[in-house]
């Protein structure tokens, strides 16, 4: 399996996370050894609803695109994704 890209969303009423988004993205890119366009990090609030809105916690969700690779050639299986997984690797 090959990781292709990641989209993460952090839900928090407080603190304001906008000033920290770039550093979070940079750290994730360094850990994953990916290019900038392959890692997305966003922050939002729950508009006062739920445990995040009551300031009882923060939640995070991440979606990662994974492709199946052929062991010998390192290419994506036909009929899977038309994304080049190598485009995110350094």
């Amino acid at each position: 399996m090959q990781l292709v890209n990641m989209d993460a969303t952090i839900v928090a009423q407080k603190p304001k996370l906008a000033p920290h988004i770039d550093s979070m993205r940079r750290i994730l890119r360094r850990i994953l050894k990916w290019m900038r366009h392959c890692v997305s990090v966003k922050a939002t609030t729950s508009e006062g609803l739920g445990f995040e809105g009551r300031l009882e916690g923060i939640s995070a969700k991440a979606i990662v695109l994974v492709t199946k690779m052929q062991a010998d050639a390192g290419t994506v299986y036909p009929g899977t994704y038309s994304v080049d997984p190598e485009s995110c690797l350094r």
Side-chain angles (χ1 to χ4, degrees):
M1 299 303 272
Q2 171 89 32
L3 297 174
V4 177
N5 60 29
M6 181 193 77
D7 180 43
T9 304
I10 303 164
V11 182
Q13 204 65 34
K14 288 184 181 180
K16 295 296 178 193
L17 297 174
H20 308 287
I21 296 293
D22 284 337
S23 11
M24 286 186 255
R25 188 179 298 129
R26 248 189 326 273
I27 290 168
L28 286 167
R29 281 190 358 242
R30 187 171 47 233
I31 290 168
L32 297 170
K33 297 182 174 125
W34 283 352
M35 303 289 279
R36 180 180 182 94
H37 68 280
C38 298
V39 177
S40 170
V41 178
K42 304 180 293 294
T44 188
T45 68
S46 63
E47 302 296 330
L49 301 174
F51 71 91
E52 300 102 337
R54 292 189 303 269
L55 305 178
E56 296 173 355
I58 295 173
S59 67
K61 302 167 180 94
I63 297 174
V64 178
L65 176 61
V66 179
T67 60
K68 195 181 275 189
M69 304 295 289
Q70 292 179 3
D72 57 345
T75 56
V76 178
Y77 281 117
T80 57
Y81 299 99
S82 61
V83 175
D84 177 14
E86 297 300 317
S87 72
C88 287
L89 300 174
R90 291 185 183 173

